C-alpha cells in the first residue's frame, strides 16, 4: 500500500508521465547528453586549482615581517568569514546540573555565547585547588547532528536516548573513551559546547543532514556564514573559559577530531588565548582534497566553507597563523577522507613556516596507521603533548 501511494504521489507531480514511469523518475536522476559537473565538482576543477596562487601565504606575501604578516593574514580570514555574531553584554553563566565523577565534577551550564544564542554546555572541573590548565574540547561532524558536545563529554541529566547515542558514538570513533572526561581526570578544566546545528542547537523540525547546506545558504543571504559562526563561537567560548576562576587563562588549549580538528587549528590560528592545540584527522591541501586523481571531494559541505578565503590562503597556510604555538597534528594512512599525499604536502608547508621562526620543535606532525578516528592511543599522545605544552611536564 505504501509503495502504491508513493507511485500515485509521483504520478500526480509528473502528470505527463504514466504512473510506472513516475516511480522510475523518482528513483533515477534525469540526465542530459551535455553536462558541466561530475561527481559534485566542475569538470574544469583542475583548471580552477591552477588559478589558486595563495598570495597571502607566508612566503608568497610581500610582507616579510612575521608578526605583520600574521596581523594582515588574520584580518583577511576574518574578512572572508563575513559579519560575526553580535556579542552578548555578559556571559551570564548558570549551573543547571552537577554530577561528581572520578577525580572531577561534571557540570551542565548555560551561558550567552552571543547576543542571539544562549547555549547549554558541559564544564568539567578537576578535584583540588586551581586554577587549572583548560581545554576547549571541540566535537566532530560525522554527518551526525543529534549530539554535539556529548561526543566529547559523557552526558547526564538528559534523555536516555542522548546518553545511548553518545556512548555508541564514543565507542565507534573514540575507542569508548570520552576525550573531555579523559582530560579532566588528568587535571584539566574542560569545556564542550555544541556547534550551530548540532545537539541542542539544531532544527525545531528534527535532525536532517541535508538541511544544513540549505540553512547555510540562507545564512549567506543574510550576509553571514554558518561555518564562520562556528569558529566565532569557538573563539567566544574560549574567551568565556578564560573568565572562569577555576581556569589559568595563560594555559588554555584546544583539541578535536575530524571537524573538531578543523575547529582546533582554526581556533589556534585566530585566538591568542589558545596556547596549544591538537588536531586529529583534518589536514590536507585543496589541490589533493578536490581532486579527480584521488577521487576525492569535500564531504563536509558548508561546515568548513568560508567564501572567498581560498583566493588568499589554503588550509595549512591558515593553520600556520598558529605559529609559533605548540601544535600536534595526527592523520591516518587508513583515513579515506584525507589522502596521505595531501596530508604530507600540508605538513611540509606548516613545517616550513615553523622552521622560518625557529620553532619547528613546537610543531609535531605524525601519520599513524589508523582510520578516521581518535582512539585511546591518539588521546594518550595528545595528553602527553598538552602536559608538556601547558604544564611543562615531560614523561
Amino acid at each position: 500500500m505504501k509503495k502504491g501511494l508513493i507511485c500515485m504521489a509521483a504520478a500526480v507531480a509528473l502528470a505527463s508521465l504514466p504512473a510506472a514511469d513516475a516511480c522510475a523518475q523518482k528513483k533515477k536522476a534525469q540526465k542530459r547528453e551535455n553536462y558541466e559537473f561530475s561527481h559534485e565538482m566542475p569538470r574544469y576543477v583542475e583548471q580552477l586549482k591552477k588559478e589558486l596562487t595563495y598570495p597571502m601565504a607566508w612566503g608568497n606575501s610581500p610582507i616579510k615581517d612575521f608578526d605583520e604578516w600574521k596581523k594582515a593574514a588574520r584580518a583577511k580570514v576574518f574578512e572572508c568569514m563575513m559579519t560575526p555574531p553580535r556579542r552578548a553584554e555578559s556571559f551570564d553563566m548558570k549551573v543547571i546540573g552537577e554530577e561528581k565523577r572520578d577525580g572531577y565534577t561534571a557540570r551542565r551550564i548555560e551561558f550567552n555565547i552571543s547576543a542571539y544564542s544562549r547555549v547549554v554546555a558541559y564544564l568539567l572541573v578537576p578535584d583540588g585547588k586551581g586554577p587549572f590548565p583548560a581545554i576547549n574540547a571541540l566535537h566532530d561532524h560525522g554527518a551526525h547532528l543529534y549530539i554535539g558536545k556529548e561526543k566529547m563529554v559523557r552526558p547526564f541529566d538528559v534523555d536516555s536516548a542522548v546518553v545511548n547515542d553518545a556512548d555508541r558514538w564514543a565507542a565507534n570513533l573514540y575507542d569508548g573513551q570520552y576525550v573531555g572526561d579523559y582530560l579532566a581526570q588528568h587535571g584539566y578544566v574542560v569545556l564542550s559546547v555544541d556547534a550551530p546545528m548540532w545537539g541542542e542547537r539544531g532544527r525545531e523540525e528534527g535532525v536532517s543532514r541535508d538541511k544544513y547546506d540549505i540553512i547555510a545558504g540562507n545564512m549567506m543571504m543574510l550576509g553571514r556564514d554558518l561555518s564562520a559562526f562556528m569558529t566565532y563561537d569557538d573563539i567566544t567560548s574560549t574567551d568565556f573559559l578564560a573568565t572562569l576562576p577555576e581556569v589559568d587563562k595563560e594555559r588554555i588549549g584546544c583539541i578535536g577530531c575530524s571537524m573538531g580538528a578543523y575547529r582546533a587549528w582554526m581556533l589556534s590560528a585566530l585566538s591568542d588565548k589558545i596556547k596549544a592545540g591538537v588536531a586529529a584527522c583534518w589536514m590536507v591541501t585543496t589541490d589533493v582534497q578536490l581532486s579527480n586523481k584521488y577521487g576525492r571531494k569535500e564531504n563536509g559541505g558548508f561546515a568548513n566553507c568560508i567564501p572567498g578565503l581560498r583566493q588568499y590562503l589554503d588550509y595549512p597556510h591558515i593553520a600556520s597563523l598558529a605559529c609559533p604555538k605548540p601544535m600536534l597534528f595526527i592523520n591516518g594512512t587508513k583515513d579515506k577522507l584525507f589522502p596521505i599525499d595531501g596530508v604530507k604536502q600540508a605538513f611540509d608547508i606548516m613545517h616550513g613556516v615553523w622552521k622560518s621562526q625557529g620553532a619547528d620543535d613546537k610543531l609535531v606532525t605524525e601519520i599513524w596507521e589508523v582510520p578516521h578516528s581518535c582512539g585511546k592511543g591518539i588521546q594518550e599522545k595528545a595528553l602527553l603533548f598538552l602536559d608538556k605544552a601547558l604544564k611543562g611536564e615531560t614523561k
Side-chain angles (χ1 to χ4, degrees):
M1 177 64 71
K2 187 175 181 181
K3 184 176 180 181
L5 289 173
I6 293 173
C7 287
M8 286 177 64
V12 170
L14 302 167
S16 61
L17 298 173
D21 287 344
C23 279
Q25 187 71 24
K26 187 175 179 65
K27 294 179 180 179
K28 188 175 181 180
Q30 291 177 296
K31 293 184 179 181
R32 295 291 296 269
E33 183 178 351
N34 297 318
Y35 58 92
E36 192 166 334
F37 298 86
S38 177
H39 301 291
E40 291 75 53
M41 288 198 291
R43 294 176 68 182
Y44 42 87
V45 61
E46 298 301 324
Q47 295 167 262
L48 292 182
K49 288 192 298 182
K50 288 178 181 178
E51 296 175 17
L52 296 176
T53 59
Y54 308 119
M56 290 206 71
W58 177 246
N60 294 344
S61 169
I63 302 173
K64 302 306 178 186
D65 180 89
F66 192 72
D67 290 338
E68 288 300 313
W69 168 76
K70 283 181 68 170
K71 182 179 179 180
R74 258 192 191 180
K76 181 56 69 175
V77 174
F78 280 122
E79 177 187 325
C80 292
M81 285 168 61
M82 305 169 71
T83 307
R86 184 163 52 87
R87 287 275 184 135
E89 293 183 2
S90 71
F91 292 119
D92 189 25
M93 190 267 280
K94 288 182 171 59
V95 177
I96 58 175
E98 192 167 278
E99 180 177 272
K100 184 68 182 73
R101 295 183 177 176
D102 184 17
Y104 62 101
T105 298
R107 297 172 183 162
R108 277 174 59 82
I109 64 170
E110 291 180 345
F111 71 96
N112 297 325
I113 203 164
S114 72
Y116 317 130
S117 301
R118 184 167 178 81
V119 298
V120 176
Y122 284 111
L123 181 69
L124 310 182
V125 180
D127 295 344
K129 182 176 174 58
F132 303 97
I135 299 295
N136 197 338
L138 307 161
H139 68 75
D140 61 73
H141 185 307
H144 188 68
L145 283 65
Y146 181 62
I147 54 174
K149 60 188 178 296
E150 299 88 358
K151 296 176 178 181
M152 304 302 281
V153 174
R154 192 168 195 273
F156 69 100
D157 284 354
V158 293
D159 190 279
S160 61
V162 174
V163 177
N164 293 336
D165 193 52
D167 283 344
R168 285 192 297 268
W169 197 260
N172 289 334
L173 197 64
Y174 299 99
D175 273 352
Q177 179 170 271
Y178 287 88
V179 176
D181 293 80
Y182 176 66
L183 292 173
Q185 285 178 325
H186 288 84
Y188 290 89
V189 171
V190 177
L191 176 70
S192 193
V193 184
D194 292 322
M197 282 292 289
W198 271 266
E200 295 177 82
R201 302 182 71 185
R203 294 171 66 244
E204 177 184 3
E205 300 83 0
V207 174
S208 175
R209 166 64 183 89
D210 294 341
K211 300 299 184 183
Y212 186 99
D213 296 345
I214 296 173
I215 291 172
N218 287 335
M219 289 282 283
M220 286 184 185
M221 295 297 287
L222 293 166
R224 311 298 175 101
D225 179 66
L226 186 56
S227 173
F229 264 43
M230 176 173 67
T231 298
Y232 281 125
D233 283 355
D234 291 341
I235 294 169
T236 302
S237 63
T238 303
D239 292 344
F240 163 72
L241 192 55
T243 68
L244 300 178
E246 301 92 342
V247 171
D248 180 347
K249 65 181 181 180
E250 298 302 322
R251 295 189 293 160
I252 300 177
C254 61
I255 189 171
C257 173
S258 191
M259 183 185 77
Y262 165 85
R263 295 169 67 189
W265 55 255
M266 282 289 287
L267 177 58
S268 299
L270 300 176
S271 172
D272 290 330
K273 287 187 172 66
I274 294 294
K275 306 303 181 183
V278 177
C281 296
W282 210 120
M283 181 47 68
V284 72
T285 59
T286 295
D287 183 54
V288 172
Q289 182 191 40
L290 301 179
S291 173
N292 289 323
K293 174 183 177 182
Y294 294 94
R296 292 300 312 133
K297 60 188 177 184
E298 171 45 51
N299 291 309
F302 284 101
N304 49 261
C305 175
I306 297 177
L309 186 51
R310 207 57 65 240
Q311 300 297 317
Y312 306 98
L313 298 156
D314 201 1
Y315 301 120
H317 304 139
I318 302 167
S320 293
L321 288 168
C323 178
K325 298 175 186 177
M327 294 291 296
L328 170 63
F329 291 82
I330 297 176
N331 273 70
T333 58
K334 300 177 183 178
D335 188 336
K336 297 180 180 179
L337 297 182
F338 298 99
I340 287 300
D341 283 356
V343 173
K344 290 179 177 178
Q345 288 176 17
F347 286 177
D348 287 346
I349 290 169
M350 290 189 294
H351 275 292
V353 178
W354 263 261
K355 283 179 183 177
S356 76
Q357 301 309 303
D360 197 43
D361 60 318
K362 293 183 180 179
L363 175 64
V364 179
T365 59
E366 297 184 355
I367 296 175
W368 293 31
E369 291 187 16
V370 295
H372 193 74
S373 62
C374 185
K376 290 181 179 180
I378 292 178
Q379 291 182 46
E380 181 181 6
K381 174 72 179 184
L383 175 64
L384 293 173
F385 179 84
L386 291 168
D387 281 350
K388 180 179 179 181
L390 300 177
K391 296 182 181 179
E393 297 179 3
T394 56
K395 296 177 182 179

